[in-house]
Amino acid sequence: MIVFKDISKIYNIGDETVYALDHVDLTIKEGEFVGIIGPSGSGKSTLMHIMGCLDIATEGEYDLDGQSIDVYTDNELAAIRNKKIGFIFQSFNLLNKLTIEENVELPLIYQGVHAAKRRTRVAEALAQVGMSHRRKHTPNSISGGQQQRAAIARAIVTRPALILADEPTGNLDSKTGEEIMALFQELNIAGHTIVLITHDASVAAQAKRILMLKDGKIAEVRDDN
Amino acid sequence: MYIITNALKNLGRNKGRNFLIGIILLVIIVATAIAIIINSTASSIIDDYKGRFGSEVSLNLDYDKAINEGNFVDSGENGKGVEEITPKQYFEFGDSKYIKEAQYNASSMINFKDLKPVDDVDDPDLMVRGYLIGSNAKNISDDFKKEARKIIDGAMYRQENECIVSQQFAELNKLKPGDEIEIILGKDRVHKLKISGIFEDNTMVSGGDAAQFMEKNPMLNRNNEILTGLDTIKKLGAENVTAAFSLKNPDDLKAFTAQLQKKGLPSYYKVATDEAGYKAVVGPVENMKKVTTTFMIVVLILGAIILLLISTLAIRERKYEIGVLRAMGMKKGKVGIGFVTEMIALTFACLIIGLSVSAFASQPIADSLLKNQIQIAEEAPTGNTVSHLDFGASAGAPASDDAKPLSELSVHLDFDAAIQIILIAIMLAIVSSIMGIVYITRYEPMKILSERN
């Protein structure tokens, strides 16, 4: 599903050349639950942005579902994000003016899904994350854990094959974090490919495969598959 | 459609911000709509009066030019005198393809054969005791329209050699319609005219007490005027002619001037329109138009700047929304359409309210502005732009001294004005959306989200 071939992301800061990703080779198959661990500044977020088609590599080739994304235009990449990838951010990134239901509905609106079908899919997604009872609330009026559940519902409502989660438990207490991780396990069992980026080893430990990033280079730590 | 529906919902979701932008839009739309409505009406009035005043042409002696060209205004001395325009020339000038209407007042001094003029004096040497007046000009008929003179017996002259005489003159000479009178032109040219009607003359009444102290002179008494048709006096030979020409198109002034000069009009005669009269009547409206145009431009510039600033501030808040939407895979175009739709919907609502408000408010504002401009015009020192020297025969548009400024302006919203207002509203919607579009196209979603995080 995901193939990184000699991917590098280079930033030029003044006269200095910084490798955020340094010749990374990586393959993630469909249905995997991969945890990517690494200290701050190791290149985790850069990796996720490239994987999520939010950024492009300076060098190397990225194939998603057998096709190189280098050939896609900005709008085509947006369409790929909308259909194939669900994002979950550390800070949830919900829109505060919208209710939870409306937040979850947004990706479907822009996909052009019919209103009746939208309502069904939103209800299903919210039920899957246990947030049906909070659907009329705004993000400001619910807890962090509930906000992250809502963000997960928004990520899965379009039924993407790939879910990219960037420090999904970073802003949550340990108990809520565990609940969210349990939810990821359920989603993986349901068939979603999950790539989880974290600096917390205990969170990464719940993934079936763990990769370590350090100074832009990647190394395999564990593979239970 | 779903993007538009969502955009409309967004209007309600961001009430505070949209209310603020809406108020500013409304103020700009109302101000510009009032200015456009007033301008539109003022423009059509100005065009109308320009047509009227611009088409009425006068021939005036350019004193300085005449002197510079070696002519002496006083022809008694050495050198050539200023050439006067002869009655024959006036009639020739009126025969032009550029002329819509030529109004003539022609007169000749006359004496009467076997008839007594009113206020006669016992002077056998007196050769002139009245005037034969022939005219097709409006001011003659105006005397009758205003009832300063009115036919009390018979009818107005219709055919050649018919005339009307005053009641006093008729009573003095026991004349009635159908009678013939004999007038003497020049030294001894006798001509018969048939009386078609008798008129009552009230034009002398205004002389009042002063008239009682004036020396009796039949020439000064308007009751001795014999009124006849222009054709009759043309045939008999007019001594004095005044003419007012109306051009078919005010733009033909140059061509008409060239034609007159070709027909013998000396170059030191100025062919001019009644600019002073135009200024007196339409000046306040023109000034009002200038004020409203300036006001509109200032409001539009300031309004656009304020809108840009507010939308820049508002977009900072929406930047995050753009980031989230783009990260979720919304195309730039779709996010842009959503934003533009919001602004267009808001602008459209403001446009409806603005048009209604301005339709009611424009009339009192126009009245107030016009009143103000008339007051300014009245207080300002007046000056005539054309030096007007009358040397016997002259031609001129109606005197501008009596011209009263337009004191009422009935403003209304017409189709053209409505289109202009709608175009300005669209422009405002674009200005309001422009910052959003810039952010959508310039910034990548991760940059926006990482900045926020």
Side-chain angles (χ1 to χ4, degrees):
Chain A
M1 185 182 192
I2 292 171
V3 180
F4 271 31
K5 293 176 192 165
D6 207 20
I7 290 282
S8 293
K9 183 69 183 178
I10 304 165
Y11 295 105
N12 292 310
I13 303 163
D15 295 334
E16 203 180 342
T17 303
V18 177
Y19 277 80
L21 291 178
D22 190 359
H23 303 281
V24 172
D25 285 297
L26 169 70
T27 301
I28 297 172
K29 291 179 196 144
E30 203 172 329
E32 275 196 277
F33 185 173
V34 181
I36 298 174
I37 191 168
S40 181
S42 59
K44 298 190 301 293
S45 292
T46 307
L47 183 80
M48 184 184 143
H49 293 163
I50 292 173
M51 210 175 268
C53 302
L54 287 166
D55 201 356
I56 49 168
T58 317
E59 290 171 2
E61 190 184 322
Y62 170 28
D63 292 347
L64 181 65
D65 283 341
Q67 279 195 309
S68 172
I69 65 139
D70 298 342
V71 297
Y72 293 124
T73 63
D74 211 22
N75 274 339
E76 284 168 339
L77 288 176
I80 288 172
R81 284 201 297 273
N82 191 232
K83 284 175 187 158
K84 293 188 177 178
I85 306 167
F87 288 96
I88 295 158
F89 302 96
Q90 181 178 357
S91 51
F92 325 129
N93 286 344
L94 295 169
L95 300 179
N96 289 330
K97 295 273 166 70
L98 274 59
T99 62
I100 294 303
E101 195 173 47
E102 287 167 338
N103 265 290
V104 176
E105 192 185 13
L106 262 184
L108 296 177
I109 288 176
Y110 282 86
Q111 263 188 11
V113 176
H114 192 269
K117 203 171 177 186
R118 276 203 314 261
R119 277 194 292 274
T120 314
R121 299 260 292 267
V122 169
E124 282 171 8
L126 285 172
Q128 209 172 338
V129 298
M131 282 293 291
S132 300
H133 63 299
R134 296 288 192 194
R135 68 182 191 281
K136 295 291 176 193
H137 286 68
T138 55
N140 288 334
S141 62
I142 57 175
S143 68
Q146 287 173 326
Q147 284 187 55
Q148 194 58 295
R149 281 172 185 272
I152 293 169
R154 187 181 63 185
I156 62 172
V157 77
T158 55
R159 295 171 183 166
L162 174 65
I163 292 172
L164 294 177
D166 187 6
E167 303 278 9
T169 57
N171 282 355
L172 305 175
D173 58 67
S174 55
K175 187 172 175 283
T176 314
E178 279 169 24
E179 285 170 15
I180 294 296
M181 287 313 296
L183 194 55
F184 279 121
Q185 296 284 5
E186 284 173 29
L187 291 172
N188 183 235
I189 292 164
H192 292 285
T193 307
I194 295 171
V195 178
L196 188 146
I197 287 169
T198 181
H199 66 279
D200 187 337
S202 62
V203 171
Q206 296 180 51
K208 289 175 186 161
R209 182 181 167 202
I210 300 171
L211 300 169
M212 170 76 131
L213 251 179
K214 196 176 178 190
D215 298 330
K217 291 180 190 297
I218 202 155
E220 192 91 30
V221 174
R222 193 188 80 196
D223 189 352
D224 295 341
N225 290 309
Chain B
M1 191 62 198
Y2 52 93
I3 295 174
I4 293 169
T5 315
N6 193 51
L8 295 177
K9 278 185 187 169
N10 269 346
L11 281 177
R13 286 169 185 151
N14 302 289
K15 287 187 201 81
R17 182 187 62 217
N18 288 329
F19 184 73
L20 182 62
I21 294 175
I23 290 286
I24 293 162
L25 278 171
L26 188 63
V27 169
I28 299 171
I29 288 172
V30 167
T32 49
I34 289 172
I36 286 172
I37 291 170
I38 293 173
N39 272 4
S40 169
T41 310
S43 290
S44 55
I45 285 173
I46 288 167
D47 287 346
D48 178 35
Y49 275 82
K50 210 174 250 178
R52 283 197 230 170
F53 283 88
S55 66
E56 292 190 8
V57 173
S58 61
L59 308 182
N60 302 307
L61 178 68
D62 188 339
Y63 183 83
D64 293 335
K65 201 173 179 191
I67 298 289
N68 289 340
E69 288 182 7
N71 299 285
F72 290 87
V73 176
D74 180 357
S75 57
E77 298 296 325
N78 295 333
K80 55 178 181 170
V82 167
E83 225 178 289
E84 287 178 10
I85 304 166
T86 65
K88 191 184 166 204
Q89 277 180 306
Y90 273 121
F91 292 126
E92 280 174 7
F93 292 164
D95 183 21
S96 166
K97 64 176 178 179
Y98 302 115
I99 294 293
K100 180 174 71 185
E101 192 183 19
Q103 291 184 36
Y104 296 101
N105 280 318
S107 64
S108 289
M109 291 181 279
I110 54 168
N111 208 338
F112 300 102
K113 192 181 174 188
D114 304 329
L115 293 168
K116 279 184 188 172
V118 182
D119 285 348
D120 197 14
V121 286
D122 187 18
D123 183 356
D125 295 331
L126 190 65
M127 302 295 289
V128 180
R129 284 185 161 80
Y131 285 95
L132 176 68
I133 293 174
S135 174
N136 67 345
K138 277 180 185 162
N139 58 341
I140 292 294
S141 57
D142 278 355
D143 278 343
F144 287 91
K145 267 187 197 163
K146 291 175 193 164
E147 298 196 342
R149 285 176 164 179
K150 61 180 176 186
I151 304 280
I152 53 167
D153 196 6
M156 184 60 90
Y157 47 82
R158 294 266 183 275
Q159 289 171 11
E160 214 172 289
N161 294 322
E162 279 189 347
C163 70
I164 55 173
V165 297
S166 73
Q167 184 184 16
Q168 282 192 44
F169 184 82
E171 282 172 0
L172 191 65
N173 295 289
K174 296 186 171 55
L175 296 169
K176 58 182 186 308
D179 289 350
E180 280 192 341
I181 58 168
E182 285 185 318
I183 56 167
I184 304 166
L185 291 139
K187 271 188 178 177
D188 50 8
R189 256 187 326 127
V190 179
H191 191 81
K192 275 187 185 173
L193 292 172
K194 188 180 173 186
I195 297 170
S196 65
I198 292 167
F199 64 86
E200 182 187 81
D201 183 86
N202 296 314
T203 59
M204 298 290 288
V205 176
S206 58
D209 295 339
Q212 296 172 16
F213 300 105
M214 280 173 70
E215 204 177 320
K216 273 188 173 182
N217 188 336
M219 277 179 71
L220 299 175
N221 196 313
R222 290 198 69 189
N223 285 295
N224 295 322
E225 286 178 0
I226 310 296
L227 306 183
T228 188
L230 186 67
D231 290 342
T232 306
I233 199 166
K234 262 169 101 173
K235 209 169 181 182
L236 295 176
E239 290 169 351
N240 229 320
V241 171
T242 60
F245 302 118
S246 296
L247 294 176
K248 284 176 189 164
N249 182 349
D251 298 337
D252 289 339
L253 183 66
K254 216 172 169 183
F256 182 59
T257 306
Q259 192 186 56
L260 294 191
Q261 285 172 347
K262 212 173 172 185
K263 284 179 178 177
L265 179 73
S267 60
Y268 43 81
Y269 276 92
K270 189 170 181 176
V271 185
T273 53
D274 186 9
E275 202 181 328
Y278 170 78
K279 288 281 177 208
V281 176
V282 191
V285 178
E286 271 193 334
N287 289 338
M288 184 188 71
K289 193 184 166 197
K290 278 181 201 160
V291 169
T292 52
T293 305
T294 312
F295 174 71
M296 183 179 77
I297 291 167
V298 170
V299 165
L300 276 177
I301 292 171
L302 285 179
I305 292 169
I306 293 168
L307 268 182
L308 267 176
L309 287 173
I310 288 189
S311 59
T312 306
L313 293 174
I315 211 69
R316 282 173 181 276
E317 186 190 326
R318 300 205 75 176
K319 201 173 147 186
Y320 166 64
E321 188 182 333
I322 295 168
V324 172
L325 293 174
R326 293 275 293 121
M328 286 191 307
M330 310 310 143
K331 290 176 184 171
K332 285 178 181 177
K334 284 185 178 178
V335 180
I337 288 170
F339 276 38
V340 172
T341 306
E342 277 180 47
M343 283 321 301
I344 286 177
L346 186 61
T347 309
F348 186 72
C350 294
L351 180 68
I352 302 277
I353 301 168
L355 278 177
S356 313
V357 171
S358 50
F360 284 106
S362 52
Q363 186 63 58
I365 290 172
D367 291 344
S368 166
L369 282 173
L370 189 59
K371 198 175 161 190
N372 208 15
Q373 288 304 322
I374 290 170
Q375 204 174 335
I376 290 168
E378 281 169 357
E379 284 165 7
T382 54
N384 220 336
T385 51
V386 180
S387 64
H388 189 109
L389 292 173
D390 195 351
F391 285 83
S394 72
S400 55
D401 298 348
D402 302 333
K404 292 267 185 294
L406 279 169
S407 57
E408 279 179 16
L409 197 67
S410 177
V411 296
H412 56 274
L413 178 63
D414 59 20
F415 180 75
D416 286 349
I419 292 290
Q420 283 180 53
I421 296 162
I422 290 168
L423 288 176
I424 283 176
I426 291 170
M427 189 202 78
L428 290 173
I430 291 168
V431 167
S432 312
S433 315
I434 212 156
M435 287 315 293
I437 303 293
V438 167
Y439 268 96
I440 292 163
T441 49
R442 261 184 79 182
Y443 295 102
E444 287 307 313
M446 277 329 296
K447 189 173 185 298
I448 300 172
L449 291 178
S450 58
E451 269 178 23
R452 180 183 164 91
N453 293 336

